[in-house]
Amino acid sequence: MSDGGKLSGKTALVTGASSGLGRHFAEILAREGAEVTVAARRTEKLEELAAKIHQAGGMARALPLDVTDPDSIHTAMERPAFDIVVNNAGITHDGPALETSPADWDRVINTDLTGVFRVAQAAAKRMVDEGRGGSIINIASILGLRVAGNVSAYATAKAGVVQMTKSLALEWARHGVRVNALCPGYIETDLNRAFFASDVGQALIKRVPQRRLGRMSDLDGPLLLLASDDSAFMTGTEVVVDGGHLVSSL
Ligand code: NAI
């Protein structure tokens, strides 16, 4: 399976790979021949994923990583530079802005915004030190481009990720390091399936012009575009995959 794929000979890091989109991204990159390091805090889930990728003929290894812990990131980067970095780890906090505590705000910003910067900077330092380029893909969200209620910290962090992507792309282009943001709309995962089956969830789906949720597989093409040399002349962009949600009627 890993022979002759689009990413054959490349190494990749996926943060937050223990569940949801990160897990899926790791499998897709491995299927295209990349040797994937799957990183998150829950190592037993990562070992299970790495074994599944091996079974399918791919290459993977599990790595404990907490994106809020600079030491953990430093340790993760003690190896040759990754060619591809998918900055996927993220958390959210649901609740009105008036009731969001400083601790909840900090937790989301620290993981979703500062965590992305820590990983991108550490990975890019390795790429630059070794005189080779790379592709960094920051998983933002349509909530980084428009807003919804009760997710102020999350939307702020994701908007920051979009702007950070552009800043880093500008500074690192001279080193051959490309930085792009992937902005998914609402994608069905194990965690949100029950919500989207509810009346509120169904009403939300009706506001998506394509009248459906995204499937994880809808992200495969855009992910591989940004990860591979097919996007050699793309940097600092935001690639939106949302069934038209951002252009829904006002
Ligand atoms: P998820 O909760 O299944 O996955 C998040 C992953 O990040 C988990 O593996 C979690 O363990 C990991 N993580 C959290 N904090 C971490 C830390 N400090 N260090 C290392 N890993 C950590 O959620 P999902 O839906 O798969 O989200 C993945 C990314 O996609 C997130 O950045 C999310 O904001 C983004 N996204 C998801 C959408 C969706 O509809 N599911 C839509 C738009 C963006």
Side-chain angles (χ1 to χ4, degrees), residues 16 18-21 41 65-67 88-90 140 154 158 184-185 187 191:
S18 55
S19 65
L21 302 188
R41 296 161 303 177
L65 175 74
D66 181 345
V67 302
N88 165 81
Y154 181 82
K158 293 297 188 180
I187 309 291
L191 287 190

Side-chain angles (χ1 to χ4, degrees), residues 1 4-5 9-10 15 23 32 48 64-65 68 73 84 93 96-97 101 116 118-119 138 168 172 184 201 218 230 249:
M1 176 183 279
K10 305 257 189 202
T15 70
R23 187 181 165 93
E32 285 300 327
E48 182 206 308
L65 175 74
T68 66
I73 294 171
I84 301 157
H93 171 74
S101 70
V116 168
R118 286 188 193 102
V119 172
N138 295 328
L168 302 184
W172 298 345
D218 288 319
D230 286 352
S249 182

Side-chain angles (χ1 to χ4, degrees), residues 36-40 42-48 50 60-64:
V36 184
T37 296
V38 290
R42 289 176 289 177
T43 36
E44 74 289 356
K45 293 243 178 209
L46 297 172
E47 298 289 358
E48 182 206 308
R61 70 177 185 123
L63 179 80

Side-chain angles (χ1 to χ4, degrees), residues 15-23 25 39-42 46 65-69 72 87-92 110-112 116 139-143 154 158 182-192 196 216 219:
T15 70
S18 55
S19 65
L21 302 188
R23 187 181 165 93
F25 291 151
R41 296 161 303 177
R42 289 176 289 177
L46 297 172
L65 175 74
D66 181 345
V67 302
T68 66
D69 176 3
S72 155
N87 245 322
N88 165 81
I91 57 171
T92 187
N110 193 14
T111 305
D112 294 9
V116 168
I139 307 304
S141 165
I142 53 170
L143 283 166
Y154 181 82
K158 293 297 188 180
L182 184 58
C183 301
Y186 292 117
I187 309 291
E188 185 170 22
T189 65
D190 289 342
L191 287 190
N192 60 27
F196 282 116
M216 289 203 273
L219 297 170

Side-chain angles (χ1 to χ4, degrees), residues 40-145:
R41 296 161 303 177
R42 289 176 289 177
T43 36
E44 74 289 356
K45 293 243 178 209
L46 297 172
E47 298 289 358
E48 182 206 308
L49 172 60
K52 190 177 170 215
I53 290 174
H54 279 290
Q55 248 168 17
M59 292 175 285
R61 70 177 185 123
L63 179 80
L65 175 74
D66 181 345
V67 302
T68 66
D69 176 3
D71 289 342
S72 155
I73 294 171
H74 181 77
T75 307
M77 297 297 168
E78 282 175 339
R79 42 146 290 127
F82 292 102
D83 299 300
I84 301 157
V85 173
V86 184
N87 245 322
N88 165 81
I91 57 171
T92 187
H93 171 74
D94 284 347
L98 283 174
E99 288 161 25
T100 297
S101 70
D104 287 333
W105 178 271
D106 286 347
R107 210 165 42 87
V108 173
I109 299 295
N110 193 14
T111 305
D112 294 9
L113 181 60
T114 315
V116 168
F117 180 73
R118 286 188 193 102
V119 172
Q121 185 194 45
K125 274 187 178 158
R126 302 290 296 131
M127 293 171 186
V128 172
D129 285 350
E130 290 177 28
R132 56 201 274 195
S135 171
I136 297 175
I137 303 167
N138 295 328
I139 307 304
S141 165
I142 53 170
L143 283 166
L145 300 165

